[in-house]
Amino acid sequence: FGKTIVETNFKELKFRFFNIAAVATLAVLTISFTTYTYKESPFMFRPGVTRDWVTPWYPTRLVEFLKDLKIPGPMYNFYTWGGYLIWSLYPQYRVFIDGRALDDLINRTADSVLKTFPGWENQLNAYNINFIIIPVIFRESGHAIPLAMALANDPKWKLVFIRNNSAIFV
């Protein structure tokens, strides 16, 4: 299409008119979109609202509960929540793992603990984990998370918070 346009001679047409029309259309569409977005989603543009952008998949209520309760660490956390937990809880808490996947040993350890592979309890003990922050259900599959089921049935661990698929075990 582009080659055809270039090969066609439009000597009688003035492209200045088309450029002005394109810029005007772009300006109208930008102003319309911004106005609509500002009215429909005010948290995107208005100052003073800091956490409304967070999706429902992150444990916002769990974080607020943890800030009030002040459970001593160290903690084990769900891999996907690591970045959000750093953003919300640092410097009071350090995460066990986050989405950057910086250390292969920690990645394998976190995965084996979450899936309760043999020796998962020893791995938690090796890192002196005092509390665990995980979802109860995998969002993608709808299956129960093995660690959540194991902790719920283990008398050494107590469930102190559960809401919106977020749980804290101490």
Side-chain angles (χ1 to χ4, degrees):
F1 178 75
K3 183 179 177 188
T4 304
I5 295 295
V6 169
E7 290 175 348
T8 307
N9 258 339
F10 289 116
K11 292 185 180 181
E12 65 277 354
L13 294 177
K14 303 284 185 194
F15 286 105
R16 183 171 185 216
F17 169 76
F18 291 111
N19 288 339
I20 292 170
V23 169
T25 303
L26 182 62
V28 167
L29 289 175
T30 302
I31 290 169
S32 300
F33 175 75
T34 305
T35 303
Y36 174 78
T37 305
Y38 182 81
K39 187 170 52 177
E40 294 299 316
S41 306
F43 59 86
M44 290 177 63
F45 296 106
R46 292 186 186 162
V49 180
T50 56
R51 296 184 188 238
D52 286 342
W53 63 270
V54 178
T55 71
W57 302 116
Y58 290 112
T60 54
R61 293 193 175 163
L62 179 143
V63 165
E64 297 306 320
F65 179 83
L66 187 59
K67 285 179 180 178
D68 291 340
L69 199 58
K70 295 179 176 60
I71 303 170
M75 75 170 156
Y76 171 90
N77 62 281
F78 187 56
Y79 174 87
T80 308
W81 291 350
Y84 174 74
L85 294 173
I86 291 171
W87 179 72
S88 302
L89 298 172
Y90 185 81
Q92 293 83 9
Y93 293 101
R94 293 177 57 189
V95 299
F96 186 81
I97 190 168
D98 64 61
R100 296 175 293 175
L102 298 174
D103 186 344
D104 187 53
L105 175 63
I106 294 293
N107 290 340
R108 286 186 278 122
T109 302
D111 191 48
S112 67
V113 168
L114 188 70
K115 295 175 182 172
T116 62
F117 289 163
W120 67 271
E121 293 165 313
N122 295 334
Q123 291 175 327
L124 287 177
N125 291 335
Y127 288 97
N128 297 318
I129 300 299
N130 189 46
F131 69 98
I132 297 174
I133 296 176
I134 55 171
V136 179
I137 305 292
F138 282 115
R139 171 181 61 152
E140 296 82 8
S141 67
H143 294 108
I145 291 182
L147 180 59
M149 298 302 101
L151 295 173
N153 294 318
D154 189 339
K156 293 181 286 193
W157 291 94
K158 301 293 179 213
L159 178 66
V160 295
F161 177 89
I162 187 164
R163 187 164 188 173
N164 295 354
N165 198 31
S166 305
I168 299 177
F169 292 91
V170 177

